[in-house]
Amino acid sequence: MEPLYTRYIQETFGPDGQVTDWHYQYEDNFNYAYDIIDTMAAAEPWRLAMLWRNDRGAELKLTLEDLSVMSNRMANLFRSHGLKRGDVILTALRSHWSWWIVALAAHKLGLILAPCSYLLSEQDFLYRMTKAKAKCVVTCRENGADRRVLAAAEQAGVSVRFALGGGSGYLDLLGNMDKQPGVLGRIPTSAKDPILLYFTSGTTGQPKGVLHDGAYTLSNYWGAKYMQDIHPGSLHFATGDTGWEVVCGTKFYGQWMLGGALLVYDYDRFPPEKVLETLQETKVTGMMAQPTVYRMLTKVGMDKYDLSSITNYAVGGEKLLPDLAKVVQEQTGQPLYEGYAQSETNLIAAASKAFGRREGSMGKILPKYHVEILKEDGSFAAPGEVGEIVIVADGGQRPNGMMTGYLNDEEATRRLWDGDIFHTCDLGSRDADGFLFYQGRTDAIIKTKGYRVSPVEIEDALSRHPAVAECLAVGEPDPDLGQKVKAYVHLNQGYAPGDALRDELMAFHNDACAGFKKIRELEFVGPLRRNPNGKVIRGQFAKTPTKI
């Protein structure tokens, strides 16, 4: 029996096992919740879909039938409160299992799901509700999220409000869901309908709303299969709050489409020891996490646990430093497979068992996109030349998986879509075999003595010194150089800041680099601040202009 996904994604392979041709095939009314989840549930209702645990000891197992029936109940609940196709429902649910039920229910009704981190402030929630014209909010009660969401919802005029466990100003989400019928007639929807709205921060202004359509769900197949090695029988663990787009690619659409199950661990603060115990106990087959998570796990010692069931380790979300990759391989005996993605594009490139990996590369360009390196003169770069990573819309057709646009912001959309080219605003190069090498953001590149210097390049080299726990390179104004390279360094335990160590670190880097890449100033700092998605905040040391 052919896997269900082959109805929608068809591939041709060459003698070496590499994809030589592929295409999507789906009807206009394709809907992931009906056509993937309900169809699989009808064939294998008993099959495990999710093993959910939280940091307080609770556990729940969900089968495919549970997903299908519960999402029907949830959809009926939303319908009973007047929600209809095109309405926006905003969620802030941590990684509670109910989020996936809400998401599937939203898809069945043709709602637009706007996931947010539960840690956002009242003003953050208010901005998103107002910008999206949200009709409904669903939240948890941890860390006062219910209070902040309620205050924002009242200001934004959002009257349909659900919370886990209910509470003042809310209806109880699960209690009311259980009262609804578990059957639902198919609601007319289109694969071209917007179904997801993610708010992503840029370098200027308020966060922009990234819209994805119903066909976007299929594009998550590529990462699940080729980066995370998902197959029938997989039990896959991935980190990431449901407020972030990474969840779509690491623990949702592609994993279930390929017959895998999810291990979801819901926590407030990441507990490395408890996670390692859980991975050992549940016999997880693969995992995906940010470098920050792997660093915490290796400090505990991944080799202290029996993780022999794990056959695939994937990493993404920020630049993987060589020292961490080496430690993970030493402790697990397996490589880390890195990937490159954006909220606007989903996964673009990945290292994997199927595609292989190259030292220093983010992975091989996935066949779903036509990727080029665009030079400043407007021409496409040859292998090894640096330029902006762009996606070409062949024949003027937007590739499946790309955002449909920014919410109510045609100008911002046009800035990224330049004719038939999508601008990632990331600099990089590719080799002759299609492996991508990241250089940094176009807005973070340091211009010194007329040269472009990637901060990532500086950080990679400096982090190899045993004293360096983490570091951040920036360009600061200089009357002679234009910009000078400055490094902020957080030290490992056992090392103390001082002039001698500063000189040693600068010499360690500068003696082995081209002159224009030299670090001109180095400052010792505490742990680097990161955003809720685990990425280092590059502007955290920006100087605030003095008010006159």
Side-chain angles (χ1 to χ4, degrees):
M1 181 177 174
E2 288 292 315
L4 178 61
Y5 70 82
T6 59
R7 296 184 189 179
Y8 307 103
I9 301 171
Q10 297 181 345
E11 299 168 278
T12 302
F13 300 92
D16 59 354
Q18 298 291 307
V19 179
T20 57
D21 188 38
W22 64 273
H23 66 276
Y24 295 103
Q25 179 176 296
Y26 55 87
E27 300 295 329
D28 177 69
N29 69 343
F30 170 79
N31 184 303
Y32 179 90
Y34 295 121
D35 296 317
I36 300 296
I37 297 301
D38 284 357
T39 300
M40 292 195 305
E44 300 178 287
W46 43 264
R47 180 152 63 81
L48 179 69
M50 180 187 294
L51 170 58
W52 176 86
R53 293 182 177 182
N54 70 9
D55 51 5
R56 285 156 286 179
E59 177 179 301
L60 182 70
K61 292 181 180 179
L62 294 176
T63 64
L64 288 172
E65 183 177 41
D66 292 330
L67 296 184
S68 180
V69 174
M70 286 183 173
S71 61
N72 285 343
R73 294 187 191 280
M74 191 71 76
N76 282 322
L77 174 62
F78 293 153
R79 288 180 78 190
S80 72
H81 286 271
L83 298 181
K84 61 186 184 303
R85 183 176 176 180
D87 286 344
V88 174
I89 177 170
L90 184 143
T91 62
L93 281 170
R94 298 206 337 172
S95 289
H96 193 269
W97 60 266
S98 61
W99 181 84
W100 283 262
I101 305 301
V102 169
L104 292 172
H107 295 347
K108 287 182 173 181
L109 296 180
L111 305 179
I112 301 174
L113 184 72
C116 298
S117 169
Y118 73 107
L119 296 173
L120 293 178
S121 69
E122 176 186 327
Q123 287 304 310
D124 290 332
F125 282 123
L126 178 59
Y127 169 77
R128 286 158 174 77
M129 290 178 200
T130 304
K131 179 79 173 177
K133 299 179 181 178
K135 301 287 186 177
C136 172
V137 294
V138 184
T139 190
C140 59
R141 301 175 68 180
E142 281 86 358
N143 293 85
D146 54 333
R147 295 193 300 272
R148 298 191 300 277
V149 169
L150 178 60
E154 289 177 337
Q155 294 177 71
V158 183
S159 58
V160 183
R161 305 187 291 262
F162 296 96
L164 294 173
S168 178
Y170 292 100
L171 294 171
D172 177 19
L173 178 70
L174 299 181
N176 282 278
M177 178 193 77
D178 288 340
K179 298 174 184 177
Q180 298 294 323
V183 294
L184 176 73
R186 184 163 182 147
I187 308 297
T189 62
S190 169
K192 297 177 182 177
D193 285 346
I195 65 164
L196 287 167
L197 172 60
Y198 279 98
F199 285 90
T200 182
S201 296
T203 54
T204 59
Q206 291 278 20
K208 299 182 289 295
V210 177
L211 285 166
H212 286 290
D213 62 18
Y216 162 82
T217 57
L218 292 172
S219 71
N220 289 276
Y221 158 86
W222 301 94
K225 182 175 181 180
Y226 292 112
M227 184 183 185
Q228 298 153 36
D229 196 32
I230 305 297
H231 51 271
S234 292
L235 179 61
H236 183 68
F237 170 74
T239 55
D241 183 286
T242 59
W244 305 100
E245 190 269 341
V246 67
V247 167
C248 293
T250 62
K251 48 183 175 180
F252 196 175
Y253 301 116
Q255 290 70 34
W256 282 338
M257 197 182 336
L258 284 158
L262 307 176
L263 168 65
V264 176
Y265 200 92
D266 188 14
Y267 51 82
D268 185 21
R269 294 179 63 86
F270 184 78
E273 292 91 349
K274 190 65 178 177
V275 167
L276 285 167
E277 290 172 9
T278 302
L279 297 179
Q280 175 180 264
E281 177 195 342
T282 58
K283 303 298 182 185
V284 162
T285 60
M287 70 173 288
M288 170 85 191
Q290 303 98 324
T292 305
V293 169
Y294 279 109
R295 198 170 289 280
M296 286 190 279
L297 296 178
T298 56
K299 283 185 177 180
V300 173
M302 299 178 75
D303 50 356
K304 295 178 182 177
Y305 298 80
D306 180 7
L307 304 180
S308 57
S309 62
I310 301 180
T311 59
N312 199 87
Y313 290 93
V315 61
E318 59 180 298
K319 180 63 180 174
L320 173 65
L321 298 178
D323 69 312
L324 177 59
K326 181 181 179 182
V327 172
V328 171
Q329 183 148 12
E330 289 174 348
Q331 292 190 5
T332 66
Q334 296 190 56
L336 270 178
Y337 293 117
E338 190 174 4
Y340 166 61
Q342 292 189 334
S343 297
E344 293 88 345
T345 66
N346 190 255
L347 194 63
I348 294 174
S352 67
K353 292 178 181 178
F355 295 148
R357 60 189 297 272
R358 295 276 167 86
E359 192 67 33
S361 167
M362 299 181 294
K364 192 171 185 177
I365 297 166
L366 294 173
K368 66 175 181 174
Y369 288 141
H370 175 187
V371 174
E372 296 284 355
I373 305 299
L374 184 67
K375 297 195 295 184
E376 288 187 345
D377 63 7
S379 65
F380 292 147
E385 293 183 324
V386 175
E388 183 189 5
I389 301 169
V390 298
I391 297 174
V392 179
D394 292 321
Q397 297 296 311
R398 177 180 58 85
N400 187 24
M402 296 287 299
M403 71 170 187
T404 60
Y406 288 123
L407 177 69
N408 301 327
D409 198 337
E410 292 183 5
E411 181 182 347
T413 302
R414 282 195 300 269
R415 283 200 298 268
L416 289 189
W417 279 109
D418 179 15
D420 292 337
I421 290 177
F422 175 84
H423 294 268
T424 67
C425 299
D426 283 331
L427 288 177
S429 63
R430 62 185 295 176
D431 65 17
D433 295 320
F435 284 87
L436 272 181
F437 295 81
Y438 184 70
Q439 295 289 325
R441 292 288 293 173
T442 55
D443 47 34
I445 289 295
I446 303 166
K447 292 185 177 180
T448 181
K449 298 177 68 175
Y451 293 94
R452 288 173 170 265
V453 176
S454 165
V456 173
E457 223 177 336
I458 306 293
E459 293 154 10
D460 277 357
L462 191 57
S463 67
R464 297 175 189 272
H465 192 285
V468 178
E470 55 183 356
C471 58
L472 178 67
V474 301
E476 293 197 343
D478 183 273
D480 299 318
L481 305 174
Q483 284 185 312
K484 64 181 177 183
V485 178
K486 181 173 181 178
Y488 292 89
V489 175
H490 171 49
L491 294 173
N492 274 314
Q493 288 186 348
Y495 292 88
D499 292 340
L501 182 56
R502 179 183 292 106
D503 292 343
E504 179 182 336
L505 291 177
M506 291 181 67
F508 176 80
H509 176 274
N510 292 350
D511 290 350
C513 75
F516 62 89
K517 296 182 182 179
K518 289 185 183 296
I519 296 172
R520 307 289 174 173
E521 189 175 341
L522 189 147
E523 181 176 338
F524 295 111
V525 295
L528 299 178
R529 290 191 293 116
R530 299 172 184 271
N531 67 20
N533 204 24
K535 293 184 179 181
V536 171
I537 300 172
R538 288 210 160 267
Q540 61 189 276
F541 297 113
K543 303 295 189 295
T544 303
T546 303
K547 293 184 178 180
I548 299 175

